[in-house]
Amino acid sequence: MAEAVLMKKRVFMAYADLYAKFGHSKYVGFFTMQKPSVLIRDPSIIKDVLIKEFSNFHHRGITVNAQVEPITNHLFSMRGEEWKTSRVKLSSAFATGKIKILFPRMQKIAERLQVELANVANGQDFDVEALCERFCIDAIGSCIFGIDINSLDHPESEFRFIAKRVASFRYQRAIRSLWPGIPNKLIELFKITLFEDRFRTFFTKVVEDTMKQRESTLHRSDFFNALLSLKNASKLDTVQQKLDMMAAQYFFFFTTGSRSPATSITCALFELSRHEEIQNKTRLEIRTVLQNNQGQLTYDILSKMTYTDMVIAETLRKYPTMGMLLRRSTQNYHVPSTDSVIPNNTSIVISIVGLHNDKKYYERPDQFYPEHFTEEAKSKRPQYTFIPFGEGPRACIAKHFAKLQVKIGLIYMLLNHKYEVSPKQKLPFKLQSNFGFAIEDGVWLRCRKID
Ligand code: HEM
């Protein structure tokens, strides 16, 4: 991991290299700083870790200290009973039935996105990522938090500022991601915190304001409601601790919920700009499906856009916004069909980028090739070789919501506009995060309106 420690390479890319280097191994042992870790390559062992033996690998082994840094006490970093209760309560806001109900709200935001697009549809260079981020921030605000952020009209909104600050690279965060077992004493002594204190202040205020607003409005069964029910079920002692926990959930859902889908729409548009024939084919499908429905976009016709789904899947294959899955063993684990044992308390890594670029599973891993996702190609691939949202009980809680966000964003951006890559765009992309694809310095395209 030397290159990752010296920050010459992002951590998730170093794991992908490790995956590629040991092409014939089911798993690879390595050291993260001085801690023994295992990278699992074999899909059937991956299934064991993520699903069959979940009780042994139920947490990610991320070190957080809720006392020192309350904003980190969210679903992603929680473990044990606390995670289980929180997951059950919060899942209610993301059930498939709820997603369908959210569709009209998402559509309204996408219509605003289209209006905004008109301002750049004159062939000038524009940062498509910034625009997609504003769309996703507003979609999370409206659909999940029930608030009108409106960063499409006001790009400098406070929410957007926070999203940018969180995404920007911090040395402290790099140390923490490379040193999962870092002692709390060191964190406190050297203030190696993951996030600035202002995030706690900001999201605490958002929670308090929403609570006040809810006192005067009707009961709604949404994310905030799920969070209130979680607060009531929580074993935390003080009112402040409960408020902190709610702020932490808001913080994580907001940052992940706006950033990951924005990167996915951006990367899809970038690839479509490089491949005009794929762009035209996707647009033609969208237009045809719409025409057959009297020009109306409804939730039920989305499933007819199967080529668009292939384009989105190929984007998630090539640019997974989380490039690795992390787990920690809580008992010894005997690796099936071998004489090896992974000891208790070992860090486990599954390289999403490694799997998604393995020639054994993907015919043209280096290309953007939506045909990787025809029904035939999918049926030939073993399970657990396409895992952009993770798998098992700890998989992405918002998978269906995120897919809807990406699809609606892409549909509205492609419908009446054509894209090409700006000469200003530098390649390869400069990566911003140690965890997965997030692009620094924006993605520059040119756009024109078409009939
Ligand atoms: C394209 C968009 C997205 C991608 C590719 C993505 C991917 C992932 C992945 C790979 C994980 C880890 C799964 C595992 O360890 O097995 C995860 C977890 C999570 N994601 Fe997403 N995600 C996306 C969008 C979202 C959105 C929109 C939200 C919230 C609104 C969200 C909330 C979460 C949460 C809360 C977890 C932690 C779940 C738990 O530990 O129980 N994600 N996501």
Side-chain angles (χ1 to χ4, degrees):
M1 296 302 289
E3 283 188 299
V5 174
L6 295 171
M7 294 194 210
K8 289 188 176 161
K9 190 164 274 174
R10 292 296 180 201
V11 174
F12 76 99
M13 290 306 279
Y15 289 145
D17 288 352
L18 208 56
Y19 178 100
K21 196 168 166 186
F22 292 87
H24 298 292
S25 309
K26 290 184 169 184
Y27 54 90
V28 184
F30 66 102
F31 286 89
T32 306
M33 303 301 244
Q34 286 169 325
K35 225 174 157 42
S37 311
V38 180
L39 177 105
I40 310 283
R41 297 183 77 264
D42 178 73
S44 72
I45 307 178
I46 290 176
K47 180 180 180 183
D48 265 22
V49 168
L50 297 181
I51 297 167
K52 271 169 68 185
E53 301 285 333
F54 179 71
S55 58
N56 185 9
F57 299 101
H58 61 270
H59 75 82
R60 298 194 168 91
I62 297 171
T63 320
V64 295
N65 182 335
Q67 262 100 50
V68 180
E69 214 179 347
I71 199 78
T72 56
N73 188 28
H74 46 61
L75 195 68
F76 192 82
S77 60
M78 283 176 167
R79 53 181 72 176
E81 279 306 312
E82 192 185 25
W83 167 75
K84 218 176 183 175
T85 316
S86 307
R87 174 89 191 197
V88 171
K89 296 275 181 205
L90 297 179
S91 290
S92 66
F94 294 94
T96 28
K98 291 267 167 63
I99 305 298
K100 188 173 175 174
I101 296 169
L102 296 176
F103 173 77
R105 281 200 236 168
M106 182 99 73
Q107 207 173 9
K108 252 196 183 144
I109 307 284
E111 280 159 9
R112 281 279 315 107
L113 170 69
Q114 247 188 354
V115 172
E116 205 50 36
L117 208 49
N119 296 330
V120 291
N122 52 7
Q124 73 188 51
D125 295 331
F126 81 106
D127 177 5
V128 68
E129 203 201 15
L131 189 59
C132 293
E133 188 189 50
R134 283 156 64 198
F135 163 66
C136 291
I137 286 176
D138 290 357
I140 280 285
S142 167
C143 301
I144 305 297
F145 299 158
I147 53 177
D148 186 15
I149 297 178
N150 202 359
S151 75
L152 280 165
D153 276 341
H154 305 285
E156 301 314 322
S157 78
E158 217 175 335
F159 274 96
R160 180 128 185 273
F161 174 78
I162 292 282
K164 278 184 164 177
R165 288 291 299 183
V166 173
S168 67
F169 178 77
R170 285 185 81 214
Y171 191 71
Q172 290 95 319
R173 230 180 289 160
I175 297 176
R176 294 278 296 267
S177 58
L178 273 165
W179 196 352
I182 185 168
N184 281 331
K185 281 218 168 85
L186 278 188
I187 295 178
E188 285 171 48
L189 192 63
F190 294 107
K191 296 233 174 310
I192 316 174
T193 56
L194 287 167
F195 302 104
E196 296 157 67
D197 224 29
R198 67 165 85 175
F199 302 148
R200 180 186 180 191
T201 318
F202 179 79
F203 284 100
T204 304
K205 186 166 180 318
V206 175
V207 172
E208 282 172 336
D209 288 351
T210 313
M211 268 203 241
K212 271 186 218 142
Q213 196 191 329
R214 284 302 169 96
E215 280 164 12
S216 57
T217 53
L218 286 171
H219 166 99
R220 276 172 34 180
S221 107
D222 63 3
F223 179 77
F224 193 76
N225 220 50
L227 208 50
L228 280 180
S229 145
L230 174 59
K231 185 192 93 170
N232 295 337
S234 154
K235 295 206 171 91
L236 291 166
D237 295 328
T238 64
V239 174
Q240 185 58 47
Q241 281 174 339
K242 290 185 181 187
L243 189 60
D244 276 338
M245 182 276 292
M246 290 172 86
Q249 304 289 10
Y250 254 69
F251 165 71
F252 186 81
F253 277 80
F254 170 71
T255 47
T256 304
S258 52
R259 193 63 205 237
S260 290
T263 301
S264 303
I265 306 172
T266 301
C267 291
L269 282 170
F270 169 74
E271 287 291 352
L272 296 186
S273 303
R274 294 216 290 191
H275 300 94
E276 200 183 349
E277 68 297 348
I278 304 180
Q279 182 181 157
N280 291 341
K281 192 171 168 182
T282 315
R283 185 181 302 105
L284 181 64
E285 177 185 79
I286 295 170
R287 287 182 166 192
T288 311
V289 172
L290 273 176
Q291 264 160 22
N292 293 341
N293 198 45
Q294 291 80 45
Q296 296 298 312
L297 183 65
T298 56
Y299 184 81
D300 294 330
I301 63 163
L302 288 177
S303 61
K304 294 186 179 153
M305 299 177 189
T306 50
Y307 186 71
T308 310
D309 286 331
M310 284 162 60
V311 166
I312 293 172
E314 179 66 350
T315 306
L316 292 168
R317 177 192 74 79
K318 216 173 163 211
Y319 304 99
T321 56
M322 211 173 278
M324 62 197 189
L325 302 180
L326 302 174
R327 297 292 188 267
R328 175 79 58 91
S329 59
T330 54
Q331 297 158 31
N332 289 350
Y333 166 70
H334 176 228
V335 185
S337 321
T338 71
D339 51 9
S340 304
V341 171
I342 296 179
N344 180 17
N345 204 19
T346 303
S347 295
I348 310 288
V349 176
I350 295 165
S351 171
I352 299 182
V353 174
L355 286 160
H356 286 190
N357 284 281
D358 192 330
K359 275 207 174 88
K360 255 197 320 228
Y361 310 129
Y362 296 93
E363 199 186 327
R364 304 181 192 184
D366 300 333
Q367 294 179 20
F368 187 80
Y369 186 59
E371 282 67 26
H372 282 140
F373 293 92
T374 58
E375 287 306 320
E376 194 194 347
K378 283 195 285 186
S379 68
K380 281 188 190 153
R381 233 180 343 259
Q383 273 186 306
Y384 311 105
T385 51
F386 179 61
I387 47 172
F389 292 99
E391 274 294 348
R394 271 214 101 136
C396 181
I397 195 171
K399 175 178 165 172
H400 301 296
F401 175 78
K403 281 184 170 177
L404 181 72
Q405 222 174 340
V406 174
K407 198 163 182 177
I408 303 259
L410 200 56
I411 289 172
Y412 274 83
M413 288 193 78
L414 272 183
L415 192 58
N416 299 316
H417 293 86
K418 199 173 164 65
Y419 300 87
E420 60 183 270
V421 180
S422 151
K424 192 174 162 178
Q425 179 61 45
K426 291 197 189 93
L427 290 172
F429 288 137
K430 198 168 159 201
L431 300 176
Q432 195 172 42
S433 151
N434 269 328
F435 284 99
F437 278 92
I439 298 153
E440 205 158 294
D441 304 331
V443 173
W444 295 85
L445 300 184
R446 287 176 177 176
C447 161
R448 286 199 185 278
K449 184 143 180 17
I450 48 169
D451 293 331

